[in-house]
Amino acid sequence: MTGITKAPSSSAPIRSSLIQQLLEQQLEDLRDCREGEVADYIPELAKANPEDFGIVLATADGRVYAVGDWEKTFTIQSISKPFMYGLALSLLSPSFMEKKVGVEPSGDAFNAISLDPRTGIPRNPMINAGAIATAAQVWRHDPGRAEALTLEFFSTLAGRPLAVNESVYESERASGHRNRAISHLLRNAAVIEEEPEPGLDLYFRQCSIGVTCRDLAVMAATLACQGRNPLTQDEPLNPAITTRMLAVMGSCGMYDYAGQWLYDVGMPAKSGVGGGVLAVVPGRLGIAVYSPRLDAFGNSVRGIATCRRLSQALELHLFDQTPLQQSPVRSTYKGTERRSRRWRSTAEAEVIDPLRSQIKVLHAQGVLDFAALENVLGSIEQAATDGAVIILDLGQVSELPAASKALLQRQAELLQTAGKQLLLCRSSHLELPAALSRKKFTYASLDLALEAAEDLLLEISCGEESAGEGSAGEGSAALAAPQKGTPTDVGLLGLLAPLAADLREAITERLELRQYAAGTLVMGRQQESDQLFLVASGRFSIFLPILRPEAPSRLARMATFSEGMVFGDAAFFSGELRMADVVADTDGSCWLLQRSAFEELQEDNPAAAIALLTQLAIDLGRKVALCGQQLTLVEDL
Ligand code: GLN
């Protein structure tokens, strides 16, 4: 497997005790703060213990830090508003909801009995007027199931079943005259089309859902993860709707205090009169605080203080963004520095070698969001000024957002119109769209991409007819069509060609021709090594196992041989068991020299045997040099 390896989801997340201590310290530091009053305008809320104090931080990768009274249940109250708004956006569409509720901060108290005089609708879904209008729309969408839908949705956000606190609900309903007045105002303005009571009732019930501080933190983390619960992996919301919810929380979530909050704390957030505060660091984490004493705006005093302190201590302010530190292009080099493991015949090498500098390799890394991708695109264009084939290795890229995928695709098309090629490799973890992940464009390894790039160089210089024909496998093009070998042909192959005719003859008459269908295992590891192979036609790849301490060993391509090249020589001479597997990549054939035939040759024609050994020694020398080159690259990994 290439790319980013994630810990298996079943394993317990590893948490830092330091962060746990840091939260405990907050608890400690703020416990003496006893400002504010517990809400009593809803009689049941007045029963809360003013001393309760819990803090929970939940990360986007599913770790939860909980301190103090994090298990105590209280009612969600207004923190339900952004979620109900999200549910309405999901069920009814943003364009519909925009006609019912605005997204402007109000400047009024959360329970103001007023509409926006300009639009005639509530200013935003975070004040009671907007929230009641939102609940009414959810109710109207499915009167029979609205409450069940709501509870199911909230439970998925929290990752556990939630329920309505019936006594708080009763208390709200009995004392909610102001909210009832608001609902009638909405009915009068035709924001609510039917009887206002059922929508209002749903609002009272949503506010009375019982939650713990931990539930709220998980809900916040779900918003931080674009609507995916990082603990359960459920996706109750989609990213576009989550963005809208966070935007409204950012501008209106803390009522009249929203501006100062954004200035000081810099996180989209929502508070409730039950004493909860929930804040989101998008893409990173969710924070929840529970402490029932409220300030004049109806926000938890300790809740605000905790968020402010955490924001400062951990530098979580949304507008405090560190500029791109790490270059998204880890390294760049030319094809002269690194070649594929496809060993080229002299004829092919003569064509490819002078052109190798036209291959450019770029290794990208990290999250390729717009800012990082812009940098990568610049590097690609730079590479294309004197390069013909650009390989972009995405193996170390952890994320490629949709907008970046589209830009990358556009870049590939632009290069193509300029007669250049962009090849991608090691991108399977990024789920590229079809246009980017098609064959001949995307490769499983850098090695295969390099081979394809070399083939492209051959095509460029030799023209269509000499390349591509008869090729099989990803991006491979054989220079010569497979030959029907006969003993007379063999003398012209590779290492035998330089020999005098009589010596050559003495060798070739001892060779036997074998045909192999594509995919055949020609020789296997741990086998006896009684033959030497001289490739007559087709392509043959050598695979060696890579031993990995924590994972099953995997076979890696060591080299691919074609016409005129020899394999099996190392073990043939050492007499040891085979070290590698050799597989026929295409249909092909090899001339075989059996050990017995070689021994005969040594007896009958020592001069021919020495000539053969000399050629094999030269060949082995070249291989050692190439292996050395490949080894130096390992240092780079
Ligand atoms: N249910 C409460 C109300 O309507 C919610 C208010 C709040 O939490 N700010 O007054």
Side-chain angles (χ1 to χ4, degrees), residues 27-303:
L27 216 57
E28 200 60 30
D29 293 352
L30 289 166
R31 200 171 289 283
D32 290 340
C33 163
R34 294 196 167 77
E35 285 162 44
E37 302 294 335
V38 174
D40 58 4
Y41 72 103
I42 300 169
E44 270 298 302
L45 294 184
K47 296 183 181 166
N49 177 357
E51 289 304 319
D52 282 351
F53 192 11
I55 307 174
V56 182
L57 187 152
T59 67
D61 45 6
R63 286 185 297 278
V64 180
Y65 298 92
V67 298
D69 301 308
W70 61 270
E71 269 176 310
K72 280 232 170 148
T73 306
F74 54 98
T75 52
I76 189 167
Q77 294 301 334
S78 283
I79 303 173
S80 64
K81 291 170 179 173
F83 295 104
M84 201 59 165
Y85 183 57
L87 181 60
L89 291 176
S90 308
L91 296 173
L92 298 156
S93 87
S95 57
F96 176 85
M97 282 309 292
E98 277 158 23
K99 294 195 201 88
K100 297 290 172 190
V101 184
V103 290
E104 290 298 338
S106 76
D108 289 334
F110 71 86
N111 55 4
I113 308 179
S114 72
L115 299 175
D116 185 339
R118 206 170 39 87
T119 59
I121 59 174
R123 287 191 177 83
N124 67 65
M126 302 293 120
I127 52 167
N128 288 12
I132 294 168
T134 303
Q137 292 308 328
V138 170
W139 176 81
R140 188 167 178 248
H141 171 76
D142 192 346
R145 282 194 1 103
E147 186 184 334
L149 269 178
T150 304
L151 266 178
E152 199 179 292
F153 176 67
F154 278 58
S155 301
T156 315
L157 286 158
R160 72 169 190 111
L162 301 178
V164 170
N165 178 327
E166 296 295 338
S167 27
V168 173
Y169 160 71
E170 288 299 341
S171 184
E172 286 224 31
R173 198 165 61 116
S175 62
H177 307 300
R178 203 179 167 89
N179 285 331
R180 199 157 282 114
I182 293 173
S183 72
H184 282 278
L185 175 70
L186 292 168
R187 175 69 188 95
N188 182 57
V191 177
I192 294 181
E193 293 89 342
E194 284 98 7
E195 267 311 290
E197 198 60 31
L200 178 66
D201 194 63
L202 181 60
Y203 169 75
F204 287 144
R205 291 193 73 76
Q206 81 182 53
C207 287
S208 309
I209 293 175
V211 288
T212 64
C213 198
R214 186 181 193 277
D215 293 332
L216 289 183
V218 175
M219 291 169 91
T222 302
L223 294 183
C225 291
Q226 301 187 301
R228 182 181 47 77
N229 182 320
L231 293 169
T232 63
Q233 310 307 325
D234 285 332
E235 285 178 52
L237 287 162
N238 73 34
I241 286 178
T242 310
T243 305
R244 289 181 150 93
M245 291 163 66
L246 290 172
V248 180
M249 287 164 71
S251 58
C252 320
M254 302 302 275
Y255 309 120
D256 269 5
Y257 183 63
Q260 190 71 42
W261 170 270
L262 198 60
Y263 183 79
D264 289 341
V265 182
M267 297 177 204
K270 189 71 199 82
S271 64
V273 291
V277 176
L278 163 161
V280 181
V281 183
R284 298 285 181 272
L285 50 94
I287 296 171
V289 187
Y290 168 52
S291 170
R293 286 198 194 90
L294 310 180
D295 64 14
F297 300 106
N299 298 323
S300 161
V301 177
R302 283 175 182 163

